[in-house]
Amino acid sequence: MAEVRKFHHPGSGRRRTIPFPKGRQAAPEAVEEIRAFLAADPLQRSELIEYLHLIQDRYACLSGDHLAALAELTGLALAEVYEVATFYAHFDVLVDDAETTRPEITVRVCDSLPCALAGSDELHQALTDQSSPGVRIVRAPCMGRCDCAPVAEVGHRHIDRATTQAVVEAAAAGDTTPVVPPYPKLAAYRSSGGYAVYDECRGGARSAADTEAAITNAGLRGMGGAGFPAARKWSFVRSAPGPRLLAVNADEGEPGTFKDRYFLETAPHTVLEGALIAAWAVDADQIYVYLRDEYPAAREILQVEISALETAGIVQPGQVILRRGAGAYICGEESAMIESIEGKRGLPRNRPPYVAQVGLFGQPTLVHNVETLYWVREILSHGEDWYSGNGRHGRAGLRAFSVSGRVKQPGVKIAPAGITVRELIDEFAGGIEDGHTFKAYLPGGASGGILPAALADIPLDFGTLEEHGCFIGSAAVVVLSGQDSMRDAALNLMRFFEDESCGQCTPCRVGTEKAVKLMQAQAWDADLLAELSQAMRDASICGLGQAAPNPMDSVLKYFPEEVQSRLQDDGRT
């Protein structure tokens, strides 16, 4: 029960009692409802986002009464609960107390670049025109299904290559559960030699030093975008005093990127074994898997298979913890992800200290991307020479390319590092789509810049694209054709960054907004955009603001003739 307030009345020499508590108070019935529903005593501050998910899953929204009840039960200020709930795009907070419900079904239509190329704007308009009571139509950022564009999501059920009729029928049917694809379960994985490497590590047949040396000799680098040598991370984390933790970054949100979903849905135990090996190598006590909310099928798979690992005695209960994101691209940045796992807003931290020394819950934390962990297990299983022996044009290794856009066979392509985009399109993606001519490509997703077809013979790998103002990042390759406007593509990407900026720093928060406005002009002001770009690069806290100008700068550099043409209205200007 809230205490009555007392304050000193100036000049009175005495305190006056106020007969009411300060601020909004939780309704007793709401407190009991949430207490009984969450069934945890006491509630943990670090579980705040999980609690918000559970409440929304049951009630389809987050009401003021429920948020106030959650604040009381967790011992948090109501403002702190609200700021977390409103930070993430997938939480539907009712801001009006008179509003008590939301439409039963929400249909999200992806508006990322690959889906826009496939007609998502027209799909969104058609669905809006035909919407029925009880169904809400909203735009959504990349859903990680760029090879199936355009994509819509009815509740948690994705509609690939969506048509208006297919989405309307799915909404009318009311089936909002995710479609879980076939995948190798624990028994099948173990029968093919799965967890043998991890057993060797735990049993002493492999030493941590030898394992680290194998990863070093193979040349494995982080596949989340930065490309930092994987084994060097291990040595940094292991040199810090324990206890230590491992965080698996499964929050890929870069438009054009969907490789992590591919690995989690087709080879979940390869990734989990890689995570267990990495945790063993640095003597980490627990593994936190941070999975983006846009991957409900992967979430169901991981829940089932982590439970199977516990039942089989391969891991202890609570050793591998699955945490669910809530729709925030910024949480792909490792320190923002850690903040989110702790139940906070996903705001990037200033460095130093680095997360290898002060990470999750203040403990030294090893952070790895899903693809990186997939290759950890594969390298140790097949040998370092097997991995490093692949590669083209003087590069070494293998990597997963997410290929989408104007190609006949989009999808995840396991190809040699250093392959050119021309070779990737012709040998792995079936060539350019009929009726289109190859004009340009994004080598590294939304933030990796845009290159013309004339530069299609550059090896795709770390360090090969920087001199051209681009980078490979997570190897999300989006192919554009002569029918596509480069300035419209760059504007689409800048709008994404504007929406996804966490707002912590002014150069990114204001810079992306001003860039969108300037890029909507009939003719771009090249000098002003260049000045804005430099300010964002120099002063933004994290990579989002630093890399957001790349597509814009690329168009100014390689397609200057397009920035003088009139921008066609896409319905959102």
Side-chain angles (χ1 to χ4, degrees):
M1 180 180 294
E3 297 180 1
V4 292
R5 289 187 296 140
K6 295 182 179 180
F7 70 91
H8 181 66
H9 188 278
S12 68
R14 60 185 177 82
R15 290 186 176 276
R16 194 172 76 182
T17 300
I18 301 298
F20 55 85
K22 183 179 180 181
R24 175 172 182 160
Q25 300 304 300
E29 60 272 17
V31 172
E32 292 308 312
E33 184 178 9
I34 296 302
R35 190 199 310 273
F37 170 52
L38 295 180
D41 188 26
L43 298 185
Q44 302 296 319
R45 191 259 178 270
S46 63
E47 299 279 340
L48 176 59
I49 293 174
E50 297 296 308
Y51 300 149
L52 292 170
H53 271 305
L54 292 172
I55 294 170
Q56 179 159 292
D57 286 345
R58 167 170 274 193
Y59 299 101
C61 60
L62 298 172
S63 69
D65 282 343
H66 285 159
L67 293 177
L70 188 58
E72 180 165 317
L73 291 170
T74 55
L76 296 170
L78 181 56
E80 189 169 4
V81 174
Y82 261 95
E83 71 179 9
V84 172
T86 56
F87 179 86
Y88 296 94
H90 287 193
F91 289 141
D92 197 354
V93 179
L94 301 182
V95 296
D96 185 352
D97 284 341
E99 187 179 24
T100 58
T101 61
R102 280 288 195 225
E104 294 179 6
I105 295 177
T106 295
V107 175
R108 293 181 171 88
V109 180
C110 180
D111 65 359
S112 69
L113 180 57
C115 282
L117 296 176
S120 64
D121 287 339
E122 293 78 6
L123 175 63
H124 178 270
Q125 186 60 55
L127 290 172
T128 301
D129 293 341
Q130 298 184 29
S131 64
S132 58
V135 177
R136 183 174 53 147
I137 312 296
V138 299
R139 291 183 178 273
C142 185
M143 298 180 184
R145 308 182 75 86
C146 312
D147 54 333
C148 305
V151 176
E153 186 182 22
V154 180
H156 289 299
R157 190 180 192 87
H158 287 101
I159 310 297
D160 294 337
R161 299 177 182 85
T163 63
T164 304
Q165 181 179 353
V167 176
V168 170
E169 290 177 353
D175 188 355
T176 60
T177 58
V179 178
V180 179
Y183 68 92
K185 295 179 171 59
L186 177 58
Y189 182 70
R190 296 191 77 176
S191 67
S192 63
Y195 292 102
V197 175
Y198 180 53
D199 288 340
E200 292 172 0
C201 294
R202 290 192 298 173
R206 293 175 183 261
S207 69
D210 290 342
T211 302
E212 183 178 323
I215 298 302
T216 300
N217 295 336
L220 180 63
R221 300 175 69 167
M223 298 300 187
F228 194 83
R232 197 181 304 173
K233 275 189 176 184
W234 295 8
S235 63
F236 287 161
V237 174
R238 196 171 53 249
S239 66
R244 306 175 190 88
L245 299 171
L246 168 63
V248 180
N249 191 337
D251 192 57
E252 61 177 0
E254 186 91 359
T257 306
F258 47 94
K259 61 185 178 62
D260 291 352
R261 175 182 64 82
Y262 167 82
F263 286 122
L264 291 173
E265 291 184 355
T266 63
H269 282 289
T270 307
V271 176
L272 289 170
E273 184 175 6
L276 289 168
I277 292 168
W280 164 82
V282 300
D283 194 22
D285 296 333
Q286 287 180 303
I287 298 170
Y288 283 81
V289 180
Y290 187 83
L291 179 68
R292 67 184 308 218
D293 196 35
E294 289 84 349
Y295 291 169
R299 179 168 171 260
E300 290 201 11
I301 291 171
L302 288 174
Q303 286 177 323
V304 170
E305 298 310 313
I306 291 172
S307 177
L309 288 175
E310 293 176 347
T311 301
I314 296 175
V315 301
Q316 298 301 312
Q319 184 179 346
V320 181
I321 300 170
L322 179 61
R323 287 291 175 84
R324 180 177 169 189
Y329 166 71
I330 190 63
C331 290
E333 195 276 339
E334 63 177 9
S335 66
M337 176 191 69
I338 284 173
E339 289 286 297
S340 189
I341 294 174
E342 293 179 353
K344 306 171 187 174
R345 293 176 295 166
L347 301 180
R349 297 176 179 177
N350 287 311
R351 299 177 178 86
Y354 296 93
V355 299
Q357 283 73 46
V358 182
L360 186 56
F361 305 119
Q363 298 177 8
T365 304
L366 175 65
V367 178
H368 271 321
N369 166 261
V370 167
E371 186 191 350
T372 307
L373 295 170
Y374 173 87
W375 291 122
V376 165
R377 190 271 178 185
E378 293 296 272
I379 288 169
L380 295 176
S381 178
H382 300 289
E384 60 200 62
D385 294 337
W386 164 82
Y387 181 80
S388 61
N390 287 280
R392 291 188 187 179
H393 306 294
R395 318 302 292 189
L398 291 164
R399 70 177 308 167
F401 293 88
S402 304
V403 183
S404 63
R406 307 299 192 181
V407 295
K408 293 180 181 178
Q409 299 170 12
V412 173
K413 314 296 180 181
I414 307 297
I419 193 173
T420 69
V421 74
R422 197 183 307 278
E423 293 168 338
L424 188 64
I425 293 170
D426 292 341
E427 299 176 30
F428 290 84
I432 296 293
E433 189 177 351
D434 292 338
H436 293 264
T437 57
F438 182 27
K439 179 180 179 180
Y441 67 103
L442 281 66
S447 58
I450 305 174
L451 290 174
L455 296 177
D457 297 313
I458 303 170
L460 296 176
D461 201 10
F462 298 111
T464 61
L465 300 162
E466 281 74 4
E467 64 179 295
H468 303 286
C470 297
F471 58 81
I472 192 170
S474 59
V477 177
V478 183
V479 178
L480 304 172
S481 81
Q483 298 184 25
D484 303 318
S485 164
M486 297 302 102
R487 62 180 291 161
D488 285 355
L491 178 58
N492 176 285
L493 300 172
M494 188 60 76
R495 277 180 168 141
F496 169 79
F497 291 124
E498 178 189 20
D499 290 341
E500 294 297 332
S501 173
C502 74
Q504 180 178 195
C505 68
T506 302
C508 178
R509 181 185 68 250
V510 177
T512 52
E513 177 199 358
K514 299 305 180 186
V516 166
K517 286 183 169 60
L518 290 170
M519 293 167 72
Q520 290 174 329
Q522 180 173 346
W524 288 9
D525 187 331
D527 292 338
L528 186 56
L529 285 171
E531 182 180 350
L532 178 60
S533 170
Q534 196 60 52
M536 293 172 66
R537 295 180 188 280
D538 289 345
S540 294
I541 289 176
C542 78
L544 192 156
Q546 295 163 11
N550 281 341
M552 175 184 74
D553 291 347
S554 296
V555 172
L556 287 167
K557 181 177 181 179
Y558 296 112
F559 306 95
E561 71 284 354
E562 291 207 20
V563 301
Q564 300 303 322
S565 62
R566 186 171 186 82
L567 179 64
Q568 295 191 3
D569 183 17
D570 65 357
R572 291 183 294 164
T573 58

